[in-house]
Amino acid sequence: VIEQKSDHLTNVTLANYLLKKIENATSTKLLEFQEIWKKTFEKEPDRIKIEKRNYLLKNLEIHEKIHTNIIISKDALKDLLKKISKYAVITDKTVFPIIKRYLCELLKPYCLYYIDDLDGEELTRIINAVKSNGSELLLGLGGGRVMDYLKFIQMETKLFSLAIPTSLATHVYASPKLHALPAIKELGYAKTIDGPVPDLAILDITFLKNLKQSKPRLINAGLGDLMAYITAVEDWKLAEQYLTTKTNTAVIEMCNESITNLNKINVEDILENWISDYVLMQVLLCEITGWVGSAPASGSEHLFALAAEKDFDNPPLHGELVALGTLIMTYIHGGDTIAVFNLIKKLQLPCSLKEIALSKQQVITALENGKLLGIAKGRFTISNTLSMNIDFCEKVVSELISYGFLEY
Ligand SMILES: [Zn+2]
């Protein structure tokens, strides 16, 4: 039982959220929530990193502390940069000029590395340079790809890493999973690595508000990724019926709650009013994956999205594909397709094939291939219980189009 919450957890939204769950839970669920608490907060804290984090956060304007290392701030970046020196910047060529314009002369990298055209050799060169040139901190500026490389370089160099996500389209900034991107694969790593999370990630409301104006898809797409719970949890329950895998009632409760909260989000409202709920959902998703594996957050809808991403040169944003996959797989599950359709519209995500540049044939192919991907990955979903041949997939897509759920 949790006797005392230590100091560094005061005002941490995730900690308070879980404590409330523990207070209100009974029997099996109580044990599950206690186990979750242990896994999340009873790890031996790294004192040096906590001290460094506290130093960096001192006197900053904090909007909300979602997790011990995930902070939402209001215009704190400029103050933060005054506190660090000798930092190696990991970024890409699209993001850097934008953030440079935003931070002006305050951004003075000690060394600067672009990840745009990285191969294994270049990545090794960066790691060795950072290790030996006296860099004191890694500063990651960018979206999901930059965050993955940041975490990899952090893992290899053990330097303190500060992440500034410049997009909410993915939750890579909060995830302990590291995608083995091409250059990482060249260094002999397999598909996904259990890597470190950034020692501190700061989501700057002012910067993200500007982004919402200019590129709203980079804010909204991540909401689509969270919709995955709608179908993934059903697939997880099916797997429990067919196989020996076990679900977790506490996790299912949190997944369902996220969907309820997703329905409450009004993307037209100012970002301050909903960014905390959004980031908490993203952080929770990453934690859930750590607690019970990725099944409840990644089911048949993700297999569809992954198949589409694999097969096409210019796939739409991941979260947009996941939302579309959730719609299609909900229909196949016999779930509430109208509710999913309305949620997609409310979150201003696309369900028009034209809008995300997919043809009807590509959707059908991705459905068929998704099943094969699931089998290869060992992920049991509703697809395993159906033939998913071309006639079936064609029928599903045509029906969704004729009912007006998919705009064609
Ligand atoms: Zn995803």
Side-chain angles (χ1 to χ4, degrees), residues 67-295:
H67 202 335
T68 49
N69 63 326
I70 313 268
I71 312 295
I72 301 173
S73 86
K74 236 180 188 168
D75 219 11
L77 288 187
K78 292 175 180 166
D79 291 329
L80 195 65
L81 283 175
K82 290 176 196 154
K83 295 185 179 187
I84 56 176
S85 57
K86 287 201 162 187
Y87 52 88
V89 170
I90 316 293
T91 187
D92 67 44
K93 288 173 187 163
T94 315
V95 163
F96 191 69
I98 299 171
I99 200 131
K100 177 101 183 138
R101 215 175 306 135
Y102 175 69
L103 293 166
C104 306
E105 70 286 355
L106 283 167
L107 186 62
K108 293 184 199 114
Y110 179 62
C111 40
L112 175 63
Y113 302 107
Y114 291 113
I115 55 100
D116 300 68
D117 311 299
L118 223 48
D119 58 13
E121 208 174 306
E122 184 61 15
L123 181 57
T124 308
R125 199 189 63 78
I126 295 175
I127 290 165
N128 290 335
V130 168
K131 268 183 186 166
S132 58
N133 68 10
S135 299
E136 288 169 2
L137 183 141
L138 298 169
L139 176 63
L141 304 170
R145 225 155 46 107
V146 167
M147 292 301 140
D148 270 322
Y149 281 118
L150 172 76
K151 293 191 291 186
F152 186 76
I153 299 167
Q154 172 189 356
M155 182 173 88
E156 295 293 304
T157 61
K158 307 280 185 287
L159 277 180
F160 187 96
S161 83
L162 172 58
I164 311 293
T166 57
S167 146
L168 292 178
T170 83
H171 41 81
V172 178
Y173 67 89
S175 169
K177 302 278 172 199
L178 214 161
H179 302 105
L181 300 175
I184 296 175
K185 275 205 182 110
E186 278 182 45
L187 300 184
Y189 287 87
K191 264 195 134 11
T192 306
I193 307 166
D194 286 317
V197 285
D199 296 302
L200 184 60
I202 301 214
L203 295 125
D204 185 292
I205 296 182
T206 317
F207 179 83
L208 294 170
K209 253 167 95 174
N210 288 339
L211 183 73
K212 189 173 176 268
Q213 291 294 320
S214 58
K215 294 189 174 115
R217 287 175 73 198
L218 292 183
I219 298 287
N220 296 348
L223 296 164
D225 212 3
L226 292 165
M227 285 181 64
Y229 290 133
I230 297 173
T231 37
V233 168
E234 294 309 312
D235 288 324
W236 198 30
K237 289 180 192 164
L238 267 185
E240 190 179 37
Q241 267 175 43
Y242 281 83
L243 312 169
T244 53
T245 52
K246 274 239 133 305
T247 57
N248 179 304
T249 53
V251 168
I252 290 177
E253 178 182 310
M254 289 187 278
C255 295
N256 292 338
E257 211 168 77
S258 278
I259 294 303
T260 307
N261 292 336
L262 211 47
N263 272 289
K264 288 184 195 154
I265 280 183
N266 174 8
V267 292
E268 284 182 358
D269 196 359
I270 50 167
L271 193 60
E272 276 103 316
N273 291 346
W274 52 281
I275 190 170
S276 297
D277 295 334
Y278 186 4
V279 173
L280 177 63
M281 283 188 258
Q282 289 193 317
V283 167
L284 206 51
L285 185 141
C286 296
E287 291 293 329
I288 284 174
T289 302
W291 298 328
V292 295
S294 58

Side-chain angles (χ1 to χ4, degrees), residues 169 171 179 224-226 228 285 297-298 301-302 305-306 309 318-319 322:
H171 41 81
H179 302 105
D225 212 3
L226 292 165
L285 185 141
S298 173
E301 76 300 318
H302 264 79
L306 294 176
E309 281 162 359
H318 172 74
V322 171

Side-chain angles (χ1 to χ4, degrees), residues 11-74:
N11 300 327
V12 172
T13 308
L14 181 67
N16 294 331
Y17 172 82
L18 287 179
L19 281 179
K20 206 171 210 162
K21 290 280 174 209
I22 291 168
E23 250 171 57
N24 297 327
T26 51
S27 62
T28 323
K29 237 184 223 173
L30 177 62
L31 295 174
E32 288 170 342
F33 275 120
Q34 285 170 338
E35 191 55 37
I36 283 169
W37 176 273
K38 263 189 218 153
K39 283 185 182 169
T40 317
F41 292 115
E42 290 184 10
K43 292 175 249 180
E44 197 56 54
D46 183 330
R47 285 280 148 216
I48 296 169
K49 289 202 161 166
I50 289 178
E51 269 168 36
K52 180 118 187 174
R53 204 185 282 157
N54 290 344
Y55 163 75
L56 291 173
L57 292 177
K58 210 172 170 190
N59 303 327
L60 288 191
E61 193 182 328
I62 291 174
H63 179 75
E64 194 161 332
K65 219 173 182 178
I66 302 294
H67 202 335
T68 49
N69 63 326
I70 313 268
I71 312 295
I72 301 173
S73 86
K74 236 180 188 168

